[in-house]
């Protein structure tokens, strides 16, 4: 995700947990307008949208 410019880690010790949390917050806050959609437990896919 960092290589494609979609997300950069703020430098924490658990970047996977930080990314999961950020995606979950975006999906909850933006709903259908989110860049991601939840496809299963702990799984997300692109929603085809970019900021």
């Amino acid at each position: 995700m960092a290589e494609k410019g979609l997300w950069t880690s703020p430098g924490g010790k658990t970047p996977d947990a930080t990314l999961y949390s950020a995606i979950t917050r975006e999906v909850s806050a933006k709903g259908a307008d989110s860049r991601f959609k939840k496809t299963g437990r702990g799984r997300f896919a692109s929603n085809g949208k970019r900021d």
Side-chain angles (χ1 to χ4, degrees):
M1 289 187 70
E3 289 176 7
K4 292 184 178 185
L6 300 174
W7 182 79
T8 56
S9 175
K13 293 182 180 181
T14 56
D16 54 333
T18 303
L19 178 58
Y20 178 83
S21 178
I23 292 173
T24 301
R25 283 192 315 270
E26 180 171 317
V27 170
S28 293
K30 294 184 177 180
D33 291 329
S34 173
R35 293 173 289 173
F36 310 98
K37 59 185 171 186
K38 190 163 186 172
T39 60
R41 184 177 178 188
R43 299 185 70 113
F44 300 90
S46 171
N47 206 14
K49 300 177 182 192
R50 290 194 70 172
D51 279 350

